[in-house]
Amino acid sequence: GGGTNLPLSLAHSLPSLMKRKEKRKVQVILTDGSISASHSWWDGVKELRLRKGYECYGFGVHNFIREVYFDGKVDDIHNGNMIQKVSREVGNILIHKP
């Protein structure tokens, strides 16, 4: 019903992620909604991506994601391809060496 505020959801989870001792911080977003460019939170994410080893990957369920927000993205995931696409791409993310 369009009820999830994605930037707010990510902002709430990010402090816990950034406190972890691992050098590489990876956040994976699985969303069926559009992502608003108007939220100032994205500017903070861009700064984290440049300075702190934070990575954010987006998976669009029946949707397309704008590249500018993520280090990587997969569009138009649906029932017929979800398991294959998500498992393959998450595997690629985990072995990726930035």
Side-chain angles (χ1 to χ4, degrees), residues 4-50:
T4 303
N5 181 328
L6 185 59
L8 182 61
S9 300
L10 297 175
H12 281 288
S13 65
L14 198 53
S16 296
L17 177 64
M18 298 311 290
K19 287 179 185 175
R20 295 189 56 88
K21 60 184 173 184
E22 293 86 2
K23 183 178 177 181
R24 189 172 174 219
K25 317 289 194 275
V26 178
Q27 193 167 41
V28 176
I29 311 306
L30 184 64
T31 180
D32 64 350
S34 63
I35 297 171
S36 171
S38 64
H39 201 285
S40 63
W41 185 80
W42 295 113
D43 295 332
V45 169
K46 183 178 180 182
E47 184 68 24
L48 282 171
R49 286 168 56 198
L50 293 173

Side-chain angles (χ1 to χ4, degrees), residues 59-75:
F59 291 80
V61 179
H62 293 288
N63 202 355
F64 292 88
I65 294 176
R66 293 180 58 190
E67 284 184 22
V68 68
Y69 304 124
F70 300 100
D71 295 290
K73 69 179 186 83
V74 178
D75 291 320

